Amino acid sequence: MNKIYPSAAEALRGVVADNQLLAVGGFGLCGVPELLIDALRNSGVQNLSVISNNAGVNGLGLGKLLLSRQIKKMYSSYVGENKEFERQYLAGELELEFTPQGTLAEKLRAGGAGIPAFFTRTGVGTVVAEGKETRVFNGETYVMEESFFPDVSLVKAHIADKSGNLRFRMTARGFNPAVATAGKITIVEAEKIVENGELAPDDVHLPGIYVHRIVHNPDPNKHIEHRTVTQKSGD
């Protein structure tokens, strides 16, 4: 089965549609599938619900989809770096389900493992637990969180072989593996594509069984959200 597609637009064709639930890997601008995000914006799909730790920054990463008003709801744990995200939410133009970061990661991981829900102490007694089932285990109260099962997952990898086995680079590994396993359809953007067998089994971070489509992006931008430079004494 050929999983390699000639462009991001072709990789999304016939898969993305209005009103879907999407999960997007990365953290801010680190490890985000920028080529796939651009293709998603250009596809014109609307009313998307998107799972991502945050939504990039203004005009970069998922921030592009906020500017184009293609996202109706975000499931996120952090808003602070994206002023348009903040503006839309405070103006009532964007739905937002705040989720603690560890809970967000577990909702994706559990979804990928086929687990429909789990109990956690995180958020008990706060607005996070409002409207959710709670139970007591060993004298402690836990809140039930339902897992994520996104229609489509968009993932960034450093290396993919032609069967879809993936290797991630450093902190870009972050949310990407959990996002990949949770998706009903997972589309991967890879910086390098190699022949089957070139990745040693111990170097595979995610097996290809979770990957349905791959697109090559050999020259990603890799934007930096903040750059802090310390001047040497006397400069």
Side-chain angles (χ1 to χ4, degrees):
M1 178 181 178
N2 180 25
K3 297 183 179 181
I4 311 297
Y5 281 70
S7 68
E10 286 297 319
L12 296 183
R13 195 180 308 279
V15 174
V16 296
D18 294 348
N19 305 307
Q20 284 182 324
L21 175 63
L22 273 63
V24 180
F27 188 106
L29 298 180
C30 177
V32 298
E34 58 182 344
L35 201 65
L36 291 171
I37 291 172
D38 285 347
L40 187 62
R41 178 194 58 193
N42 295 339
S43 74
V45 294
Q46 299 291 324
N47 297 318
L48 299 174
S49 297
V50 180
I51 305 157
S52 179
N53 180 68
N54 53 338
V57 298
N58 289 349
L60 293 174
L62 284 173
K64 294 179 180 180
L65 298 183
L66 289 173
L67 287 175
S68 63
R69 310 307 293 269
Q70 290 167 269
I71 298 176
K72 69 174 182 180
K73 182 173 183 177
M74 287 292 307
Y75 296 86
S76 298
S77 70
Y78 182 59
V79 176
E81 297 300 323
N82 194 318
K83 294 302 181 183
E84 179 61 16
F85 189 159
E86 179 183 5
R87 188 201 67 75
Q88 288 186 23
Y89 172 61
L90 293 177
E93 299 169 4
L94 176 71
E95 297 177 57
L96 172 63
E97 186 170 314
F98 268 127
T99 306
Q101 191 172 89
T103 302
L104 185 77
E106 181 60 12
K107 284 162 75 77
L108 288 163
R109 189 210 66 82
I115 299 168
F118 58 92
F119 285 93
T120 176
R121 290 178 62 191
T122 304
V124 171
T126 73
V127 294
V128 170
E130 289 181 1
K132 298 176 182 176
E133 179 182 344
T134 59
R135 290 191 191 180
V136 176
F137 298 95
N138 299 318
E140 298 285 353
T141 301
Y142 289 72
V143 60
M144 190 181 79
E145 294 283 357
E146 295 187 13
S147 304
F148 286 133
F149 298 94
D151 298 304
V152 181
S153 286
L154 305 182
V155 172
K156 167 68 181 294
H158 184 223
I159 303 174
D161 69 17
K162 292 184 176 180
S163 291
N165 297 303
L166 304 181
R167 180 170 179 79
F168 303 96
R169 186 172 185 270
M170 297 184 176
T171 53
R173 191 171 179 177
F175 277 91
N176 275 300
V179 166
T181 60
K184 297 173 184 175
I185 298 291
T186 294
I187 305 174
V188 174
E189 171 183 323
E191 293 182 36
K192 184 178 181 181
I193 297 177
V194 299
E195 296 294 331
N196 293 334
E198 288 192 44
L199 278 175
D202 285 348
D203 288 337
V204 173
H205 293 152
L206 186 84
I209 192 172
Y210 293 105
V211 174
H212 301 89
R213 299 184 177 192
I214 305 167
V215 64
H216 192 203
N217 183 11
D219 190 27
N221 287 314
K222 298 186 179 179
H223 295 284
I224 297 175
E225 291 181 51
H226 292 286
R227 187 189 300 273
T228 303
V229 179
T230 301
Q231 292 186 344
K232 293 181 180 179
S233 178
D235 289 349

